[in-house]
Amino acid sequence: MDEAAADRSLSRDESPSSSIRYARQIRFAPVGEEGQTSLASSRAAVAGMGALGCVIASHLVRSGVGEVVLIDRDIVEWSNLQRQMLYSERDAALDTPKAAAAAARLREANSSVRVIPAIADLTPGSAESLLAGADIIVDGTDNFSARYLINDYAVKHGIPWVYGGAVASGGMTMTVIPGETPCYRCLYPAPPAGGIADTCETAGVLSPLVDIVGSLQAMEAIKWLTGNRQAMSGSLLQLDVWRNSWMQVSAGNARREDCPCCGQRRFAFLEEPQQESSAVMCGSSTVQVTPSRPLGLDLSRLASRLESSGRAELGPYSLRYRSESGLSVIIFPDGRALVQGTQDPIKAKGLYTDILGD
């Protein structure tokens, strides 16, 4: 059968029932029909659609979680394709936002799941709306500030979240269940000083590592959403795929009564005032500039204003402006901008101001 005939056949046939699509999963006794039904009525939020997020989201959508929210601020770049499995060369060429590109691929894999792309930065000002209604949050981020923010939100609202990290050949993961386990701040009271911790930019990352860590995170989420909470890991798991090492560190006694977050219920990372900021993106010569509040830009109107320069290109999700200095700026409707070609926040902010006059 050729591709056209196959497409016509698919369009005539109804989508397969859950008992067919998820047959192998349902046959696993701890999941069963009841667990599959529970998955279908659940909502999961994946924060960050980089390498870990691609693995996590793929497993959750293919497993039949009813709603999966994909939160990411970034666009697909060529350097992502080595390990971020949901994206294509076309996505990189078109500067497609990761959340949108991932949603398109995942909808093709499972049309019965509601995949919700959120092309946004997870900040104190946006967390309440982006994470609202989630039954579990799974961490696919690449920065400490986002993790402390997720931890604050999760503890405040009593929602479990699954931490994961991967850099070079080493990774770790831990599940935080508010009220039962230590929270992230119990183990790591404060973010490390800038420049201390390795990143994908400084140390690289191996593709198989993120598959393993992301799969472990997704499995924890599936256990929780199917009601198999007794099977969840109660430890911090550390692994190194190059050295073939696995180590579980018991975290049961690490919960601290004096923890600012879960002990004293002070949510400093969630409640900090929102200010205009600029940050170098991990793994690229790109600076993100974030306004103090969402701007609600009319990109078509902005493109018309910049039209005389001949260097503005309006796309379905963003506006790209190429400056005479050689820098490129990708502007989103909420006012965020990715300034490509520099790691200098001052230079990036200057160009941003020149364009928006703010």
Side-chain angles (χ1 to χ4, degrees):
M1 181 184 294
D2 61 25
E3 290 185 9
D7 288 342
R8 288 194 297 271
S9 176
L10 284 172
S11 67
R12 287 195 300 267
D13 295 341
E14 295 183 358
S15 297
S17 65
S18 294
S19 61
I20 295 174
R21 181 186 289 272
Y22 308 115
R24 303 299 187 274
Q25 189 163 275
I26 291 171
R27 286 176 190 169
F28 181 65
V31 176
E33 292 280 1
E34 184 176 346
Q36 194 62 53
T37 300
S38 181
L39 280 178
S41 63
S42 299
R43 179 184 176 100
V46 182
M49 286 304 300
L52 288 177
C54 284
V55 176
I56 295 161
S58 183
H59 283 305
L60 297 183
V61 169
R62 291 174 184 275
S63 295
V65 176
E67 291 187 351
V68 180
V69 183
L70 312 178
I71 305 166
D72 198 280
R73 64 190 182 181
D74 206 356
I75 60 172
V76 180
E77 298 185 78
W78 291 96
S79 63
N80 301 149
L81 303 182
Q82 167 253 349
R83 65 199 178 281
Q84 300 183 15
M85 303 298 189
L86 290 176
Y87 309 129
S88 68
E89 291 185 351
R90 177 177 173 81
D91 295 324
L94 296 178
D95 296 326
T96 308
K98 290 182 179 179
R105 302 293 181 281
L106 293 172
R107 286 167 181 157
E108 292 175 349
N110 193 346
S111 60
S112 68
V113 168
R114 187 174 179 225
V115 183
I116 306 168
I119 306 168
D121 197 6
L122 186 61
T123 66
S126 66
E128 294 287 350
S129 60
L130 292 175
L131 300 174
D135 296 299
I136 195 164
I137 303 164
V138 193
D139 168 34
T141 64
D142 59 6
N143 65 86
F144 289 101
S145 61
R147 290 174 182 138
Y148 283 92
L149 175 60
I150 292 169
N151 188 70
D152 270 9
Y153 180 90
V155 172
K156 179 180 179 180
H157 294 281
I159 300 168
W161 74 283
V162 188
Y163 156 68
V167 64
S169 62
M172 61 179 61
T173 179
M174 179 184 76
T175 300
V176 175
I177 303 175
E180 297 181 24
T181 70
C183 79
Y184 191 71
R185 288 196 73 182
C186 288
L187 299 180
Y188 307 105
I196 298 297
D198 277 333
T199 67
C200 296
E201 175 71 8
T202 61
V205 63
L206 296 174
S207 177
L209 171 67
V210 296
D211 286 350
I212 295 170
V213 175
S215 294
L216 290 170
Q217 290 180 267
M219 192 71 256
E220 285 289 282
I222 291 169
K223 289 175 186 177
W224 177 267
L225 297 176
T226 57
N228 288 286
R229 296 168 190 182
Q230 75 288 348
M232 299 180 73
S233 172
S235 62
L236 173 68
L237 175 63
Q238 298 177 315
L239 60 118
D240 191 303
V241 295
W242 196 257
R243 296 175 178 81
N244 302 305
S245 66
W246 294 72
M247 180 174 66
Q248 285 189 309
V249 180
S250 176
N253 296 323
R255 191 175 176 195
R256 295 170 39 215
E257 293 298 325
D258 64 344
C259 172
C261 182
C262 68
Q264 301 175 0
R265 296 192 64 79
R266 290 189 283 111
F267 308 114
F269 295 91
L270 185 62
E271 296 169 355
E272 66 184 24
Q274 184 75 8
Q275 299 176 345
E276 183 176 82
S277 64
S278 57
V280 179
M281 304 290 283
C282 179
S284 65
S285 293
T286 301
V287 175
Q288 175 177 261
V289 180
T290 305
S292 59
R293 66 187 191 286
L295 299 183
L297 296 176
D298 183 337
L299 294 185
S300 296
R301 185 173 180 179
L302 180 58
S304 297
R305 183 166 66 82
L306 298 172
E307 193 173 34
S308 61
S309 70
R311 298 186 298 272
E313 302 172 12
L314 182 63
Y317 305 103
S318 61
L319 170 67
R320 174 185 281 277
Y321 177 76
R322 303 178 192 276
S323 73
E324 293 178 343
S325 67
L327 301 181
S328 290
V329 186
I330 299 174
I331 305 170
F332 296 97
D334 62 0
R336 285 185 309 112
L338 301 177
V339 182
Q340 298 177 314
T342 183
Q343 291 190 333
D344 183 343
I346 296 175
K347 184 182 292 185
K349 179 60 171 61
L351 181 56
Y352 179 85
T353 302
D354 288 344
I355 294 171
L356 294 183
D358 184 12

